[in-house]
Amino acid sequence: MKRAILSLTILCLIVFESMAQITGSGTIASPYRGINAGDFTISGIKYFDSNLGVSAGTLKLQPGTRLISTNKYACIIISGTGSIDARGASYNSITISADTDIDGLIGETSDFWGNISITSTGSGTFDYCTIENGRRTRFQYLGGAIYIGSGSVSINHSIIRNSSAYYGGGIYANAGTSPTITNTLIYNNTSTYNGGAIYMAAGSSPVISSSLFRNNKASSTTLKGGAIAVYSATPVIVNSTIVYSESSATDGRSIYLEDSPDATIVNTVIWGGSSHIGLSGTPSSVFDYCAIEGESYTGCLNLNSSNTASDGPNFTDPGAGLFTLTYLSPLRDSGTDSYPGISIPATDFIGSGRVYVTDMGAYEMIYSRWHGGTTAWGTSTNWDGGFVPGSRNIVIPSGISTYPVSSPGPTFTLSSGLEMIIEPGAQATFTSLTNNGTIELHSDESAIASLITDSYSGTGGNINVDLYLTGSSASELWHYITAPVTVSKTVFTSIEPDLLASYDESKVLTDVIDGWQWHDGYEGTTSFEQLEARKGYDVSVSENTTMVFQNLKSLTTSIGTINLPFSGSGGDTTIHGYSLLGNSLTCGINWDMISVSDADYVRDAYYIRTATGEEASYVDNVSTNGATAHIAPLQGFFVKTRAEGTSLTIPAAAREHNAAPRFKSAQTIPLIRLTLSSATSRDEMVVRFEPKATMNFDREYDAGKLFTHTSTGVKIFSVMRGEDYSINSIPWPGRKISIPLTVIIPETGTVKISRSQLQAISNYNIVLTDRIAGRNIDLTELSGYSFSAVAGTLTDRFTLTISPVEKAVPAIPEKETEVTGSSLKIYSATGRVCILPQGNEWSDAGAKVRIFDITGRMIMASNDESLNSGELKEYFPSSGGGLLIVEVITGGKRYLEKVVLTK
């Protein structure tokens, strides 16, 4: 019955005019009436009181035209081969309305007319038009504003409102039609039955994009589709917003789709009410990248009924009809830029371009999003859409190759009500920053945001600074941290009320552990209420946690000079002089640029705790456990002094953006790195060769081992002349030396000492000795040694012995050229020595290769080579060049060759 009704013959005005030419002058006294068989142009304010249109040619409405019906049943009829061309402009639109009481007030609720009926083979074009107060509830009852029976119709940048019909209160799309509707507002339209805004009949395929539907209604108690009704049609609806639709149906109050499995609805928002979607013979998969209140469809967002909830649409002001997006909207950047078979519009409802990923809905949230290219803040090509920051929210995202870090940076003011978000790993530099809005510095497991500014004022706004800390449910992990400004300790104690401590050197009496003070005064320690800027703290979390320093009004922009306390006497007492400091900057620090007040007493090393719990140290381009010259934002760290009245200065020039840990120096430093590992923990130590070092503690090259008896993990360190070392720098030894090692094992079991790095050392024997087991392990050939031990501290079991290889001047052949007939070619190329075996005898032949300088000093050795015919071996001796002697020993044969190495 339903489809039988919809297929009735379409009638227009029952008082049918003859198909005569248009008569009248278009005034109230002489209104237009009639159907032209050719072109007809209308401009200015014109009236019609009966059917008006063309059966051939074009009815053209000029920009600024106001075409007003004074008859409640008059229609605009485009039939035969006729067309209608109503093209206004953004500044000079066209209006088609009614004034049936002829009181000069156009578009009153009591003023209505027929509709625009297009049944021709021609075209219909409506740009910047307002079509209002159409009514087809008698006679022809389809399409309150526009009936599209045939032809090619496009509606762009227009308004369809306050119209009604039995079906399709605003627009009716008949079978076989494919109208396009873009950037159009369709609101306050009513259908008696289905399709308050649009009815799509079987076989139609409308395309709707960047359009807004609001307050449309299907008024009958039995049928559906308060905004859109679709029957066996294939519509495309993309980047549109459908809100506050009404119908009495229990489903399909916004959209009803029957037998339309090939419909495509993408990047579209449906909100404001309930039971929005009705599906019959249509899968929910026709919706993709959509946001629908109360519906959990695959690939779509389920919107909260509360606009301002975190999962609500967060429209600007829906009560006032403002459906633009606030920055916090989950619709922002949540759509898709491409979709199979359809075109995603490049601009939104009001013509704004896209920023980053296309938003869901009719409106794009316009904000300034950095995408890089150069490092200049004010260059438009560095920002998506060319939107240089000014009156917009700002996002500086992660993962960009270049950031706005040019120096000097801009002087910038963030206005009230705006946000600037710097994502983890992103960076920005300012000369002066005034914050009247909200600044968010984010942090996650991968990185922390980095902000450098010479000056900051923020009493008019807020800045929120994240600090991501890793945790473990099995055992708490401790972190050295600091605060960006002096704040209440509650930022931590509200999460982990017990596990927060500071370090007070003046409390140390018999052990460095005396310096730890619990924030709540536990066990007689000194409590504290604040986290002070530039001071470090130790905090533990049981699970991964993002601490947020919220609503800050100021920011630390430089560190400067920090006084270092010392409570000991008689020089370095080993337990005094440790200070837990903090990098309170929202950027990194380059440790190699610090200065100290007294080079004789303040040591150059610093110590941190890594994310996995090890104590890490750094000094002069050498580190343990991953420390580098680059101290991260909000990182706490230990330093050590040996006397009163000393200080440490961190200059403004030391500030840096350091998105990831890295070594600063590219030079190759001769060193041996030993790693001690168990099933649950690991630790490192380094022995470094430095000509300027001594066998005593050298503050610029050595780093002590911190808190050797307070950790639950394994520890390894060297001990020389009463000092515990994590980094032990020694001069190149001219004779054999033995360095005692201490190993701490918290749990009985099997552990392993590994030679994890052997760098730029080729003319020394390096042996690890296990005195208990009677084992000597050659670390130049073997990479590690496993052993079993009970829990405890092993002070006398292991030593590291380093001795120079005995000098041996090899016999030099009388001839300096290659031995005639030799199948082993030895020669030099730029910067390298080359060995090329030739012939069948060279098949996986084991060999030792040694290279000597002219004095007979061995400068390189490789004791485990495999030589194969035709396989070139290349060696890069550390010598500066000149005459070298190459020795190859294999299978009882000895090959010698002199070569001249050029660099």
Side-chain angles (χ1 to χ4, degrees):
M1 182 64 179
K2 171 173 58 185
R3 294 200 175 98
I5 293 174
L6 298 184
S7 64
L8 288 175
T9 302
I10 298 169
L11 301 174
C12 196
L13 189 62
I14 217 59
V15 183
F16 228 96
E17 300 292 331
S18 66
M19 300 299 285
Q21 294 292 101
I22 296 174
T23 62
S25 61
T27 64
I28 291 180
S30 178
Y32 290 136
R33 59 177 59 181
I35 307 296
N36 247 30
D39 295 342
F40 192 80
T41 300
I42 300 174
S43 63
I45 302 176
K46 294 296 188 292
Y47 295 85
F48 67 105
D49 69 348
S50 188
N51 288 346
L52 171 69
V54 294
S55 61
T58 300
L59 178 65
K60 186 167 185 175
L61 277 60
Q62 297 278 37
T65 295
R66 302 180 77 187
L67 185 58
I68 313 302
S69 174
T70 59
N71 186 315
K72 292 185 177 181
Y73 305 111
C75 297
I76 296 174
I77 298 175
I78 310 299
S79 60
T81 61
S83 297
I84 182 169
D85 188 336
R87 302 189 197 209
S90 59
Y91 55 89
N92 202 16
S93 63
I94 295 169
T95 299
I96 303 174
S97 188
D99 183 12
T100 53
D101 57 7
I102 315 179
D103 62 357
L105 299 176
I106 298 170
E108 294 175 291
T109 56
S110 59
D111 293 331
F112 58 88
W113 58 292
N115 69 354
I116 300 171
S117 176
I118 302 172
T119 60
S120 73
T121 59
S123 63
T125 302
F126 302 90
D127 285 352
Y128 294 101
C129 292
T130 296
I131 303 170
E132 63 182 9
N133 288 40
R135 183 174 297 182
R136 301 314 299 153
T137 54
R138 56 181 293 188
F139 310 131
Q140 179 200 19
Y141 47 80
L142 308 177
I146 303 175
Y147 170 77
I148 304 171
S150 59
S152 174
V153 177
S154 66
I155 304 169
N156 311 297
H157 304 99
S158 295
I159 299 173
I160 310 295
R161 67 185 178 192
N162 303 330
S163 297
S164 59
Y166 278 15
Y167 296 91
I171 300 170
Y172 185 99
N174 198 23
T177 63
S178 301
T180 62
I181 302 170
T182 64
N183 300 81
T184 292
L185 170 62
I186 305 176
Y187 79 96
N188 203 33
N189 300 288
T190 303
S191 65
T192 304
Y193 298 107
N194 300 72
I198 299 179
Y199 186 101
M200 303 178 187
S204 66
S205 53
V207 176
I208 301 170
S209 65
S210 297
S211 294
L212 173 62
F213 297 74
R214 66 177 177 89
N215 299 93
N216 296 290
K217 180 179 181 180
S219 61
S220 171
T221 59
T222 59
L223 296 170
K224 304 173 181 180
I228 300 172
V230 183
Y231 291 89
S232 300
T234 57
V236 170
I237 303 173
V238 58
N239 276 103
S240 294
T241 297
I242 303 169
V243 292
Y244 294 137
S245 306
E246 295 182 52
S247 78
S248 58
T250 57
D251 63 348
R253 285 186 172 141
S254 290
I255 300 180
Y256 179 74
L257 297 107
E258 182 174 303
D259 298 332
S260 301
D262 295 323
T264 304
I265 305 173
V266 175
N267 286 357
T268 291
V269 180
I270 304 168
W271 183 82
S274 61
S275 304
H276 291 283
I277 310 301
L279 299 172
S280 176
T282 306
S284 63
S285 59
V286 299
F287 295 92
D288 204 3
Y289 291 96
C290 290
I292 308 170
E293 178 184 3
E295 296 290 353
S296 298
Y297 292 163
T298 300
C300 298
L301 301 180
N302 185 343
L303 291 178
N304 196 302
S305 60
S306 170
N307 177 58
T308 56
S310 60
D311 57 347
N314 282 264
F315 295 127
T316 301
D317 188 351
L322 298 177
F323 295 96
T324 53
L325 306 182
T326 65
Y327 183 77
L328 296 177
S329 173
L331 309 178
R332 176 177 58 84
D333 302 331
S334 295
T336 180
D337 295 332
S338 62
Y339 201 82
I342 68 172
S343 176
I344 303 296
T347 59
D348 74 348
F349 178 71
I350 58 175
S352 297
R354 302 298 179 186
V355 178
Y356 193 45
V357 178
T358 301
D359 296 348
M360 291 183 180
Y363 293 95
E364 184 78 2
M365 170 64 210
I366 301 302
Y367 64 102
S368 296
R369 184 181 181 91
W370 177 267
H371 68 223
T374 71
T375 60
W377 178 270
T379 300
S380 62
T381 54
N382 289 333
W383 300 89
D384 275 0
F387 297 122
V388 176
S391 58
R392 303 178 182 89
N393 295 285
I394 303 166
V395 172
I396 304 176
S398 304
I400 305 298
S401 59
T402 56
Y403 281 107
V405 295
S406 59
S407 184
T411 294
F412 183 75
T413 298
L414 183 68
S415 300
S416 177
L418 297 181
E419 287 190 78
M420 178 165 66
I421 295 176
I422 304 180
E423 294 184 350
Q427 307 165 5
T429 299
F430 298 91
T431 295
S432 176
L433 179 58
T434 301
N435 176 23
N436 294 320
T438 301
I439 296 176
E440 303 272 351
L441 303 182
H442 288 174
S443 171
D444 64 15
E445 187 174 8
S446 65
I448 187 170
S450 185
L451 170 67
I452 294 176
T453 181
D454 292 337
S455 68
Y456 176 87
S457 57
T459 57
N462 294 307
I463 184 166
N464 302 318
V465 182
D466 290 357
L467 178 59
Y468 179 90
L469 302 176
T470 56
S472 170
S473 58
S475 61
E476 280 79 23
L477 287 179
W478 290 85
H479 303 262
Y480 296 156
I481 61 92
T482 190
V485 291
T486 298
V487 296
S488 169
K489 68 178 182 181
T490 55
V491 67
F492 288 114
T493 55
S494 62
I495 300 173
E496 295 284 344
D498 298 324
L499 305 182
L500 174 65
S502 65
Y503 191 83
D504 185 347
E505 205 275 342
S506 67
K507 303 294 184 182
V508 175
L509 298 176
T510 60
D511 198 303
V512 289
I513 198 172
D514 298 339
W516 288 113
Q517 308 297 304
W518 294 102
H519 77 97
D520 56 358
Y522 179 67
E523 290 189 337
T525 58
T526 302
S527 64
F528 56 91
E529 298 301 320
Q530 291 183 316
L531 304 179
E532 299 178 20
R534 300 176 176 85
K535 184 175 181 180
Y537 297 87
D538 208 5
V539 66
S540 178
V541 292
S542 59
E543 58 185 20
N544 295 347
T545 303
T546 300
M547 303 291 191
V548 183
F549 298 93
Q550 292 183 315
N551 302 326
L552 304 180
K553 298 296 184 181
S554 62
L555 201 64
T556 301
T557 58
S558 63
I559 298 293
T561 299
I562 303 175
N563 293 324
L564 303 176
F566 182 79
S567 301
S569 61
D572 186 1
T573 64
T574 71
I575 63 172
H576 289 286
Y578 286 102
S579 293
L580 182 53
L581 307 180
N583 173 20
S584 290
L585 300 173
T586 52
C587 65
I589 292 172
N590 185 335
W591 187 255
D592 287 339
M593 299 184 71
I594 67 155
S595 61
V596 298
S597 63
D598 192 322
D600 290 333
Y601 295 111
V602 182
R603 292 178 168 175
D604 285 2
Y606 81 86
Y607 309 86
I608 62 170
R609 180 175 283 144
T610 69
T612 51
E614 301 97 2
E615 300 289 346
S617 56
Y618 171 85
V619 65
D620 190 42
N621 295 303
V622 177
S623 69
T624 62
N625 295 318
T628 74
H630 310 281
I631 299 178
L634 307 185
Q635 174 72 62
F637 55 93
F638 270 97
V639 296
K640 183 165 174 56
T641 185
R642 301 167 63 201
E644 295 179 348
T646 61
S647 63
L648 173 77
T649 299
I650 301 174
R655 298 175 304 173
E656 65 174 11
H657 295 295
N658 51 9
R662 60 195 186 277
F663 286 105
K664 178 191 175 197
S665 176
Q667 71 182 99
T668 302
I669 298 174
L671 58 81
I672 307 157
R673 186 181 304 275
L674 298 182
T675 300
L676 178 67
S677 57
S678 70
T680 58
S681 61
R682 65 182 296 281
D683 191 28
E684 287 183 349
M685 65 155 289
V686 167
V687 174
R688 166 186 174 171
F689 296 93
E690 168 56 51
K692 298 178 183 178
T694 69
M695 299 304 287
N696 295 314
F697 192 100
D698 304 292
R699 68 159 190 90
E700 66 269 44
Y701 303 121
D702 290 322
K705 193 67 173 182
L706 193 66
F707 304 144
T708 56
H709 59 291
T710 60
S711 175
T712 57
V714 297
K715 282 189 179 293
I716 184 171
F717 51 94
S718 63
V719 182
M720 291 182 66
R721 301 184 180 180
E723 293 276 2
D724 296 341
Y725 292 87
S726 61
I727 300 173
N728 189 355
S729 295
I730 62 173
W732 288 98
R735 57 183 177 82
K736 181 170 70 174
I737 65 168
S738 293
I739 301 175
L741 304 179
T742 295
V743 172
I744 299 176
I745 304 171
E747 296 177 347
T748 298
T750 299
V751 293
K752 183 177 183 179
I753 298 176
S754 301
R755 180 258 298 153
S756 53
Q757 187 178 13
L758 183 61
Q759 178 172 287
I761 302 173
S762 58
N763 53 343
Y764 281 84
N765 297 315
I766 301 168
V767 176
L768 175 70
T769 299
D770 182 345
R771 294 177 179 175
I772 301 298
R775 292 283 306 277
N776 292 315
I777 299 94
D778 184 353
L779 293 181
T780 64
E781 296 196 4
L782 297 176
S783 62
Y785 172 63
S786 297
F787 62 96
S788 298
V790 298
T793 300
L794 309 180
T795 58
D796 299 315
R797 180 167 178 175
F798 294 99
T799 59
L800 185 68
T801 301
I802 303 169
S803 60
V805 174
E806 292 184 5
K807 294 181 180 180
V809 180
I812 301 175
E814 292 182 1
K815 294 182 67 177
E816 297 182 0
T817 58
E818 179 185 342
V819 177
T820 303
S822 173
S823 61
L824 188 68
K825 292 185 178 296
I826 303 172
Y827 60 94
S828 68
T830 303
R832 62 193 187 275
V833 171
C834 302
I835 298 176
L836 179 63
Q838 294 179 316
N840 296 332
E841 63 186 282
W842 301 103
S843 178
D844 201 25
K848 292 183 179 180
V849 177
R850 298 180 181 181
I851 301 176
F852 303 84
D853 66 15
I854 194 60
T855 68
R857 181 173 63 94
M858 186 167 64
I859 60 173
M860 202 210 78
S862 179
N863 296 325
D864 188 20
E865 290 287 358
S866 178
L867 302 181
N868 292 279
S869 180
E871 181 182 338
L872 179 65
K873 298 286 186 178
E874 295 180 302
Y875 304 90
F876 298 83
S878 59
S879 169
L883 183 64
L884 301 178
I885 301 165
V886 182
E887 177 188 60
V888 179
I889 300 174
T890 176
K893 295 181 180 180
R894 184 168 178 247
Y895 297 81
L896 287 172
E897 186 65 66
K898 286 193 298 182
V899 298
V900 177
L901 185 68
T902 59
K903 291 291 188 179

